[in-house]
């Protein structure tokens, strides 16, 4: 079994899980400080509810995928890659937004959670429901992002799920180390490090999405003469066809195949493909120059501000 497919889901689930674990840990600490530990049950219920909803959404996506695979073969060759491309696009949008938003809001997270908990506690009889909603929303948000990424790569099957489960276990361990045993972990550096991997993983999704759309459009274009104009680049003699991706940039299948080690690792974590086309290369670089540069600028600013604070404290 090829476990390389588990690496991206492990990275994403670990990062998303740690973010949810931070919210849970902060809420439990605040409840303990306010001598409201009897509301802890609502916290754990919110975690359980969030996980169940995320799993149900995963089953919904799986049902959609199975329905696409079982339709008339004449249409499945179009619907299936088109659906894969749409899932990839949604995952790219959600994960990119989360990455940029988190890099800008991380320093405010504790204050925001404290404000939400204080507001919930002011509701007296409905305080439990307020805490439950806060935790459930946090867990569902992270869970949906992970499930959507798995759906965008549903050819990975069980292996991707194993990676997600391992990432969830890792997030629980990190949360326990922080809040139960009081072990100091530099959370800022953790998110920055995982964020770099996430940028490259999502950039790989850009390549996958373009290839899926290319496959769907090629099937439509070649089905009848009236639709052939959809393919602006197609070579009958080419061993590997491209419809909307332009000419091939490289073919490294003989040197570094992406289905064997170490190419399979590079593919899983950094978006490497043994066959890369012009449009894919442009899309990959465009993503890195936009979303990637925004992310790196945000963490660079965070490091600079943190260094200035440390310098001021030492004076």
């Amino acid at each position: 079994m090829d476990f390389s497919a588990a690496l991206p889901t492990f990275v994403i689930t670990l990062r998303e899980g740690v973010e949810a674990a931070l919210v849970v840990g902060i809420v439990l600490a605040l409840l303990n400080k306010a001598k409201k530990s009897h509301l802890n049950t609502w916290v754990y219920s919110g975690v359980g509810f969030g996980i169940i909803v995320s799993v149900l959404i995963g089953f919904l996506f799986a049902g959609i995928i199975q329905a696409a695979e079982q339709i008339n073969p004449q249409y499945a060759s179009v619907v299936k890659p088109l659906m894969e491309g749409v899932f990839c696009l949604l995952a790219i949008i959600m994960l990119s937004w989360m990455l940029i938003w988190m890099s800008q809001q991380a320093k405010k997270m504790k204050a925001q959670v404290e404000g939400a908990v204080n507001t919930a506690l002011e509701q007296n009889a409905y305080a439990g429901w307020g805490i439950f909603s806060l935790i459930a929303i946090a867990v569902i948000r992270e869970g949906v992002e992970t499930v959507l990424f798995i759906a965008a790569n549903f050819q990975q099957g069980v292996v991707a799920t194993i990676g997600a489960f391992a990432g969830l276990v890792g997030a629980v361990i990190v949360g326990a180390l922080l809040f139960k045993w009081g072990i100091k972990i530099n959370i800022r550096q953790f998110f920055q490090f995982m964020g770099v991997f996430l940028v490259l993983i999502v950039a790989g999704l850009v390549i996958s999405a373009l290839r899926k759309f290319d496959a769907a459009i090629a099937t439509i274009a070649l089905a009848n003469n009236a639709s052939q104009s959809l393919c602006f680049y197609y070579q009958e003699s080419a061993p590997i066809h491209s419809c909307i991706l332009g000419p091939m940039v490289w073919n490294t299948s003989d040197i570094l195949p992406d289905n064997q080690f170490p190419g399979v690792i590079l593919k899983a974590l950094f978006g490497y493909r043994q066959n890369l086309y012009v449009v894919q290369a442009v899309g990959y670089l465009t993503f890195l120059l936009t979303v990637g540069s925004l992310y790196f600028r945000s963490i660079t600013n965070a490091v600079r501000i943190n260094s200035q604070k440390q310098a001021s404290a030492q004076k």
Side-chain angles (χ1 to χ4, degrees):
M1 183 180 291
D2 179 16
F3 283 97
S4 62
L7 292 175
T9 49
F10 170 78
V11 171
I12 288 176
T13 308
L14 178 62
R15 189 196 182 284
E16 304 300 297
V18 168
E19 186 176 337
L22 287 177
V23 175
V24 172
I26 292 170
V27 171
L28 289 173
L30 290 172
L31 291 178
N32 183 59
K33 183 178 180 180
K35 297 182 179 179
K36 300 285 186 178
S37 297
H38 62 280
L39 295 175
N40 287 358
T41 304
W42 290 94
V43 175
Y44 301 131
S45 298
V47 172
F49 180 79
I51 292 174
I52 291 172
V53 170
S54 300
V55 171
L56 290 176
I57 292 174
F59 280 124
L60 174 62
F61 286 155
I64 295 173
I65 292 166
Q66 288 182 348
E69 293 175 341
Q70 293 173 1
I71 63 175
N72 190 314
Q74 180 181 354
Y75 303 106
S77 59
V78 176
V79 174
K80 188 172 182 292
L82 186 61
M83 188 177 297
E84 290 178 346
V86 171
F87 274 126
C88 283
L89 187 60
L90 291 174
I92 290 167
I93 293 171
M94 285 195 65
L95 290 170
S96 299
W97 172 82
M98 177 275 298
L99 186 66
I100 301 302
W101 180 86
M102 184 60 185
S103 65
Q104 296 174 346
Q105 300 294 323
K107 59 184 179 181
K108 303 176 184 178
M109 177 187 286
K110 185 176 181 180
Q112 291 173 341
V113 174
E114 287 178 348
V117 171
N118 290 332
T119 300
L121 293 178
E122 290 173 358
Q123 297 175 2
N124 297 322
Y126 298 100
W129 285 109
I131 298 297
F132 174 87
S133 301
L134 173 64
I135 297 298
I137 291 172
V139 174
I140 292 172
R141 183 182 65 226
E142 313 306 335
V144 168
E145 289 169 354
T146 302
V147 167
L148 188 57
F149 177 81
I150 294 174
N153 295 271
F154 50 97
Q155 73 278 5
Q156 297 174 353
V158 176
V159 176
T161 306
I162 293 173
F165 180 76
L168 183 61
V169 172
V172 172
I173 292 173
V174 171
L177 290 174
L178 286 170
F179 296 103
K180 187 173 181 62
W181 292 296
I183 296 176
K184 299 294 183 181
I185 298 176
N186 193 319
I187 291 297
R188 180 182 286 107
Q189 289 184 0
F190 170 83
F191 279 122
Q192 290 174 353
F193 180 75
M194 300 300 287
V196 172
F197 273 111
L198 192 56
V199 167
L200 296 172
I201 289 170
V202 177
L205 274 183
V206 173
I207 294 177
S208 297
L210 290 170
R211 188 58 183 169
K212 301 300 182 183
F213 287 128
D214 179 78
I217 294 173
T219 302
I220 296 172
L222 299 177
N224 57 78
N225 294 331
S227 303
Q228 286 185 357
S229 60
L230 291 173
C231 283
F232 66 81
Y233 186 89
Y234 188 83
Q235 292 178 312
E236 290 285 351
S237 59
I240 304 174
H241 299 297
S242 163
C243 179
I244 61 171
L245 300 180
M248 189 179 292
V249 175
W250 70 55
N251 183 349
T252 55
S253 56
D254 294 332
I255 304 172
L256 189 62
D258 58 18
N259 59 353
Q260 298 177 14
F261 181 85
V264 70
I265 303 298
L266 298 176
K267 178 181 178 180
L269 290 178
F270 305 115
Y272 167 76
R273 296 295 188 278
Q274 62 184 21
N275 300 313
L276 188 71
Y277 297 85
V278 168
V279 174
Q280 287 177 309
V282 170
Y284 187 88
L285 292 175
T286 300
F287 179 86
L288 291 181
L289 291 174
T290 53
V291 176
S293 62
L294 283 172
Y295 174 71
F296 286 116
R297 191 180 304 129
S298 66
I299 63 174
T300 300
N301 290 338
V303 171
R304 178 175 52 80
I305 293 172
N306 190 50
S307 299
Q308 290 175 349
K309 287 182 178 180
Q310 290 179 348
S312 300
Q314 292 174 353
K315 290 181 180 180

